[in-house]
Amino acid sequence: MDENQLFRAMQNHDAVVSTLGPREVFKPSSMLHDSAVATARAMNRAGVKRLVVLSAAAHFPGFLNGIASFIMRNHMRDSRAMEAIVQATGLDWTIARPPRLTQEDYATYRSRENAAPRMGFSVSRKAVAAFMLEAIEQEKHFHQIVGIAK
């Protein structure tokens, strides 16, 4: 969350990928919000325009997502605040919203802009990483929130 350290780390890079998440989703925190503020400021100073961030599928509408959002309300509040910061920047951002993350060993995924893929209840961390890197390399999903699932 240190803007100056982030600025130094971003020198001579083309993009930033943020996969931050809380250790405990039930405790109040502003880590995601504060990190987004520091990251956006550092990126602007460093001249880096491309940002891909990890969020949560529970932000999409739906009964099950509503339950998850209620149960993890502290994390969801912080995640929403992070998304608002990211969207308000002048950066070329993409927000990735996966459902439950698993340790499975596959990199394939389904994605859908502005919605969760149908019947997508989980996705591997490896697949989320593949999506994030492909979004950067293929210059896709600028200014989009994208649902990702298995």
Side-chain angles (χ1 to χ4, degrees):
M1 289 184 271
D2 183 315
E3 179 185 335
N4 291 322
Q5 283 184 344
L6 290 168
F7 169 73
R8 286 190 294 275
M10 291 173 191
Q11 297 297 302
N12 301 312
H13 291 282
D14 299 320
V16 171
V17 174
S18 175
T19 59
L20 296 175
R23 291 187 190 271
E24 298 187 34
V25 296
F26 303 111
K27 288 188 175 182
S29 173
S30 63
M31 179 195 61
L32 296 176
H33 168 272
D34 298 346
S35 295
V37 170
T39 299
R41 288 180 179 163
M43 288 179 72
N44 283 322
R45 285 175 52 198
V48 178
K49 290 292 185 190
R50 187 68 169 116
L51 174 64
V52 180
V53 297
L54 182 68
S55 188
H59 290 307
F60 289 124
F63 179 72
L64 292 177
N65 286 343
I67 292 171
S69 290
F70 176 75
I71 292 170
M72 299 183 297
R73 62 188 160 274
N74 290 315
H75 171 57
M76 293 293 104
R77 188 177 303 118
D78 189 25
S79 183
R80 277 269 191 227
M82 176 271 298
E83 286 191 7
I85 294 297
V86 168
Q87 291 175 12
T89 68
L91 302 171
D92 292 330
W93 56 266
T94 300
I95 296 173
R97 286 186 179 173
R100 184 178 61 86
L101 299 174
T102 71
Q103 296 290 1
E104 294 173 279
D105 189 25
Y106 65 87
T108 58
Y109 59 86
R110 295 178 298 130
S111 65
R112 187 172 170 200
E113 289 186 349
N114 302 308
R118 298 199 191 290
M119 302 302 289
F121 302 109
S122 67
V123 68
S124 73
R125 285 174 170 81
K126 193 176 203 178
V128 173
F131 166 80
M132 296 175 100
L133 292 175
E134 286 175 18
I136 291 168
E137 290 171 354
Q138 296 176 11
E139 299 181 357
K140 293 171 60 175
H141 308 296
F142 288 125
H143 302 120
Q144 295 294 320
I145 294 173
V146 183
I148 310 158
K150 183 175 182 178

